[in-house]
Amino acid sequence: FRGTDAERLLDKLFTKDITRVKPGRCAYGLACYEDGGLLVDGILLRLEPDLFWYAQADGDFYSWARAHAAGMDVEISDPQVFVSQVQGPNSLKILEAASDNGMPEPFGYFGLARVSFGGQQVVITRTGYTNELGWEYYTEPHHDADARWSHLKAAGDPFGMEFFGLDTMHIRRNEAGILNAGSDFDHTTTPYDVGLGRFVDADKGDFIGRQALLDAPRDSRLTGLKCAAEPHISGEVSINGKPVGKVTAGAISPYLEQGIGIALMDRSGFGEGDVVTIR
């Protein structure tokens, strides 16, 4: 999103007050439909006063943004940037080793910086999908991805860094209670339904879905699950044979050494200790 109206458009599209996000910072961005149903979530990066990137989850946010940008001075495009991450207790030590100029300062939570990895300038953010200490890096079309990969591997080897795909992050995000767009929430759920109400700035002025969210129930219908086996995604959750919800995510937790998951209940009011049957 580039242009003098980029901030104004994004503040209209997102439930958070985007005007408070300064250059060099990130924000967790939720976008809703007019009825308050969730469209997508992701990380919004403010690289410059009039330049933003949105690292989004699945959802047709591009077309949605284009439709609402009519008459505004803003260019919306896909820069073909791909995000990867380094997560874990040693992640900042690996960043310091990989950066040609040492640790960027400041680089607090949800910070943004440009660093040099083996002579290549790379955008990084203090974010992740695991709830661990960590950071993410953004591969642009002009980067030599193979050389940068080798550079990060050499920096991470002394700290025991290993390479994994999304399956590993899926387990860790289940343990952390981090939600996935399109499965843990969708257009039928409001931010309040899934415990994301703290990311709604209802008093910031007009944004898409504001009136519906002002009128929406505030109680969350999302809950965590613990069970002996791995919960079956989309499986029924029931009490005494009566359906009360469905499983939206499941995994075997190495930390808890048992099955864990997330369930969207038909209503709020279920609490810790309620015993249910889970497929």
Side-chain angles (χ1 to χ4, degrees), residues 129-130 163-175 230 250-252 254:
Y129 193 52
T130 65
F163 292 92
F164 293 98
L166 285 169
D167 285 350
T168 298
M169 287 192 290
H170 173 73
I171 294 172
R172 187 63 189 95
R173 73 96 178 174
N174 265 268
E175 292 181 329
E230 180 175 341
I252 295 294

Side-chain angles (χ1 to χ4, degrees), residues 15-238:
T15 61
K16 286 287 291 180
D17 185 352
I18 300 307
T19 66
R20 297 172 61 184
V21 182
K22 304 302 181 185
R25 296 289 298 167
C26 307
Y28 177 59
L30 289 175
C32 289
Y33 292 105
E34 291 285 0
D35 64 0
L38 279 160
L39 168 62
V40 72
D41 73 340
I43 302 297
L44 182 70
L45 294 69
R46 191 166 198 171
L47 289 90
E48 301 170 13
D50 294 339
L51 175 63
F52 297 80
W53 286 350
Y54 185 46
Q56 66 161 100
D58 290 339
D60 192 9
F61 186 72
Y62 173 78
S63 297
W64 180 250
R66 285 286 300 269
H68 288 281
M72 294 190 186
D73 178 19
V74 57
E75 176 189 352
I76 305 169
S77 62
D78 181 356
Q80 295 297 310
V81 174
F82 296 89
V83 59
S84 304
Q85 54 190 287
V86 180
Q87 306 281 295
N90 288 323
S91 57
L92 293 186
K93 296 177 183 177
I94 295 170
L95 173 59
E96 184 174 21
S99 175
D100 298 339
N101 301 310
M103 179 67 68
E105 294 291 348
F107 193 53
Y109 192 48
F110 269 61
L112 182 157
R114 295 180 185 271
V115 298
S116 177
F117 288 153
Q120 298 190 72
Q121 293 295 315
V122 180
V123 171
I124 63 171
T125 57
R126 181 78 177 272
T127 53
Y129 193 52
T130 65
N131 208 36
E132 295 278 3
L133 184 67
W135 48 280
E136 297 184 283
Y137 62 92
Y138 297 76
T139 300
E140 300 177 60
H142 65 270
H143 285 150
D144 183 335
D146 290 336
R148 203 259 321 284
W149 184 272
S150 297
H151 179 80
L152 287 178
K153 184 178 186 305
D157 278 346
F159 300 97
M161 184 175 73
E162 298 184 46
F163 292 92
F164 293 98
L166 285 169
D167 285 350
T168 298
M169 287 192 290
H170 173 73
I171 294 172
R172 187 63 189 95
R173 73 96 178 174
N174 265 268
E175 292 181 329
I178 298 174
L179 306 185
N180 182 62
S183 55
D184 299 316
F185 66 79
D186 58 22
H187 67 282
T188 68
T189 56
T190 70
Y192 300 115
D193 285 333
V194 293
L196 297 176
R198 64 189 179 279
F199 299 108
V200 177
D201 290 336
D203 59 350
K204 74 168 184 173
D206 193 37
F207 61 89
I208 297 172
R210 179 176 183 270
Q211 188 56 54
L213 292 176
L214 287 174
D215 299 335
R218 296 293 196 268
D219 296 329
S220 175
R221 295 190 289 121
L222 212 66
T223 184
L225 304 172
K226 293 194 298 183
C227 50
E230 180 175 341
H232 183 75
I233 295 176
S234 296
E236 185 176 273
V237 179
S238 61

